Amino acid sequence: MLLVFRSLIVAMLLALGVMLWWYPAATLVTVEPVAWGQLHEQQYAPRQRASPFLSSAVIEQSRQSRPFMPMAEFIQNQVGGAMLEVEAGEWSRELTGFDGDRTWMAPDRVPVTDPPRGWVHLALRDGESLDFYRLQWVDPLQHLGDIPPAQAHPFRSVPLLWACMGIVLVVMLALPVRESPAQASNLARGMRAGLGLLFFFLPLTLVSLWLSQRSAPDAVYALIVIGGMLALTGLVTALIFGRQYAWLRRLMAGEGLLAHWQLAPEQWRDFVQRDMRRSRGEKLARLVMVAVMAVVVGLGFVLFAPDRGAGLVVAGVLTGMVVLLALIVLLMPLWTRRRLLQALPQVWLGLEGVCIGHQAHHWSGLGSRLESARLQRGKQGRPARIELTYSGLRGVSSGRGVYVYRDQQNVVVPVPPGKEAEAEGVIARLRAGRGK
């Protein structure tokens, strides 16, 4: 239970860290300097905006025909008479970039307390000088690329918060936990992985749903879809592996147990080595089949696709997929071998499944069944083994629908010397249970 609790705390801490690191401020004020003098000159100096095809006489005549308007009156006309005059103070020291750059400020830092709609024009008086600015209240979600990260995401500037979260995370990960054989199994790891996905992506999805009520960018809606799918995947994974983990605990407690064998260290190492070679050979055969299909499909796209560039992209994606599968086939058996060598050299065999060390196989789930069981006696002094084959339903989606097929798995169970007669009785009960 402590392992599950630790997994949930770690997942929620990581989700909280991601949310706080990215979470945007509620409202910010953008402050931009306004060069009214330049605007006035551009508006009432036709020479600067006249067409190069007009003669100087025409330009001069246009200049004289337009009545001159004082700059103060021009400003009043532009802002509609709505301009606030404020004295320079502590807040105005944050204003930088009088050459036209904008400044982002928190709403409580500006002298306007009631944010209106649209722009607010300010005349900032500092002694004898007068500078002009315009302010606007905006949602940072729409301007994340323009706002400095420290202002767009306020929680990033709270070092005490991150220090506390880091300490709690390190303590949780370093917490010594004594694993039972069931807790060290692949079923328990799968259940914890599912719960981790659920408790990591569910908070992110809920926060994204809340942020979508604001003027959220497309990235928020993408996170809702992807996060929701991954949270649902985690829930389904946790339920499936949780059910199997509950069965494994009952099996190790003696419920439905047919045989419990302890293997000698030498026999255990020899079994792990042989089983890994067998498992790798089966996976390599499947990899070759997938690689051949990928090559055929990729060449088809390259040779016959109307868009040659798109065909090359598809071929590249298929090649990357094959390379990734090859790495998995090569590396996963090494990781499994390492875990099995560290596991207890024991076997728990029941009517609904078997657990060999840390590796459990369950064939009593929805759509799963035991196909065959037989005893293979050892040759040349090698111990006997039980060869089991079970299958589960798998689905493949295509353009015409979903096709369901049975995926078979082969399991080799080592039998300690002198336990052959007991193994024959176990196989007889497995076959009898399969025939029901």
Side-chain angles (χ1 to χ4, degrees):
M1 190 65 186
L2 187 58
L3 278 173
V4 175
F5 176 76
R6 184 175 69 175
S7 301
L8 298 183
I9 293 296
V10 170
M12 294 180 66
L13 273 176
L14 293 176
L16 180 62
V18 172
M19 288 188 296
L20 294 180
W21 182 262
W22 183 83
Y23 191 80
T27 306
L28 285 178
V29 181
T30 174
V31 185
E32 296 182 359
V34 182
W36 288 115
Q38 295 180 8
L39 296 175
H40 178 265
E41 187 176 357
Q42 293 174 7
Q43 185 72 18
Y44 293 98
R47 184 182 297 277
Q48 297 183 5
R49 61 185 183 88
S51 171
F53 300 102
L54 296 179
S55 64
S56 58
V58 173
I59 294 174
E60 186 63 28
Q61 182 179 1
S62 175
R63 179 197 298 271
Q64 296 177 1
S65 63
R66 296 174 61 89
F68 176 77
M69 179 181 295
M71 190 173 72
E73 185 179 349
F74 168 75
I75 295 175
Q76 291 296 322
N77 288 341
Q78 292 294 318
V79 302
M83 178 175 289
L84 301 176
E85 183 173 338
V86 296
E87 293 290 336
E90 184 68 25
W91 76 276
S92 60
R93 295 178 183 177
E94 301 180 16
L95 300 178
T96 58
F98 291 101
D99 56 350
D101 294 336
R102 66 176 60 181
T103 303
W104 299 90
M105 305 180 68
D108 58 351
R109 297 291 297 166
V110 298
V112 181
T113 57
D114 186 16
R117 295 181 179 272
W119 291 96
V120 175
H121 291 270
L122 290 182
L124 180 64
R125 182 175 296 279
D126 188 2
E128 298 296 328
S129 63
L130 198 64
D131 297 307
F132 299 96
Y133 294 89
R134 62 175 187 173
L135 287 66
Q136 188 180 33
W137 278 250
V138 298
D139 188 344
L141 275 175
Q142 292 297 314
H143 306 273
L144 290 179
D146 303 328
I147 307 174
Q151 292 178 290
H153 311 281
F155 289 105
R156 295 186 185 183
S157 58
V158 187
L160 181 61
L161 172 66
W162 299 106
C164 293
M165 291 182 60
I167 292 173
V168 175
L169 184 61
V170 170
V171 170
M172 285 290 104
L173 293 177
L175 188 66
V177 179
R178 184 181 180 89
E179 291 184 325
S180 66
Q183 291 172 339
S185 68
N186 58 321
L187 302 182
R189 295 197 308 273
M191 181 185 67
R192 294 197 296 268
L195 290 174
L197 276 177
L198 174 63
F199 280 83
F200 179 80
F201 284 102
L202 182 60
L204 295 179
T205 305
L206 295 178
V207 171
S208 300
L209 282 170
W210 182 59
L211 288 176
S212 66
Q213 305 301 316
R214 296 162 56 178
S215 53
D218 294 338
V220 173
Y221 297 102
L223 183 58
I224 293 174
V225 176
I226 298 175
M229 292 177 60
L230 291 175
L232 181 60
T233 300
L235 175 61
V236 174
T237 302
L239 291 176
I240 293 175
F241 280 100
R243 176 180 178 274
Q244 296 178 357
Y245 173 66
W247 156 79
L248 182 60
R249 293 187 61 182
R250 294 194 303 269
L251 177 70
M252 291 183 173
E255 182 179 339
L257 183 65
L258 301 179
H260 179 205
W261 296 324
Q262 177 85 29
L263 280 75
E266 297 78 10
Q267 183 186 0
W268 179 251
R269 285 194 296 269
D270 181 70
F271 162 74
V272 170
Q273 297 286 357
R274 289 178 174 274
D275 192 63
M276 288 301 100
R277 287 196 293 267
R278 178 192 61 82
S279 177
R280 179 176 293 181
E282 293 179 354
K283 290 181 172 59
L284 283 175
R286 295 188 180 189
L287 176 63
V288 170
M289 181 178 64
V290 173
V292 170
M293 294 176 59
V295 168
V296 172
V297 174
L299 286 177
F301 272 96
V302 172
L303 296 177
F304 303 107
D307 188 347
R308 186 174 181 81
L312 290 174
V313 170
V314 173
V317 171
L318 291 175
T319 302
M321 180 188 70
V322 172
V323 172
L324 179 62
L325 290 176
L327 290 175
I328 294 175
V329 169
L330 293 175
L331 297 179
M332 282 298 293
L334 297 177
W335 183 74
T336 304
R337 173 181 174 273
R338 177 175 174 272
R339 285 193 57 84
L340 283 176
L341 288 176
Q342 295 176 348
L344 293 175
Q346 299 183 35
V347 174
W348 293 266
L349 183 55
L351 288 172
E352 299 182 8
V354 62
C355 182
I356 309 168
H358 290 167
Q359 199 71 19
H361 302 269
H362 186 241
W363 52 72
S364 185
L366 181 62
S368 300
R369 68 190 182 195
L370 180 65
E371 299 288 351
S372 64
R374 64 172 183 169
L375 177 65
Q376 186 71 32
R377 297 188 177 273
K379 298 179 180 179
Q380 299 178 352
R382 295 191 177 277
R385 62 185 185 272
I386 297 176
E387 296 180 352
L388 302 173
T389 300
Y390 70 96
S391 65
L393 294 178
R394 300 290 185 271
V396 176
S397 178
S398 67
R400 296 183 178 181
V402 178
Y403 296 90
V404 179
Y405 69 99
R406 285 202 165 271
D407 181 31
Q408 291 191 346
Q409 300 288 334
N410 299 315
V411 182
V412 176
V413 182
V415 178
K419 298 291 185 179
E420 290 82 359
E422 183 180 353
E424 289 180 348
V426 168
I427 292 176
R429 295 187 62 180
L430 287 174
R431 289 174 176 173
R434 182 171 59 89
K436 293 181 181 179

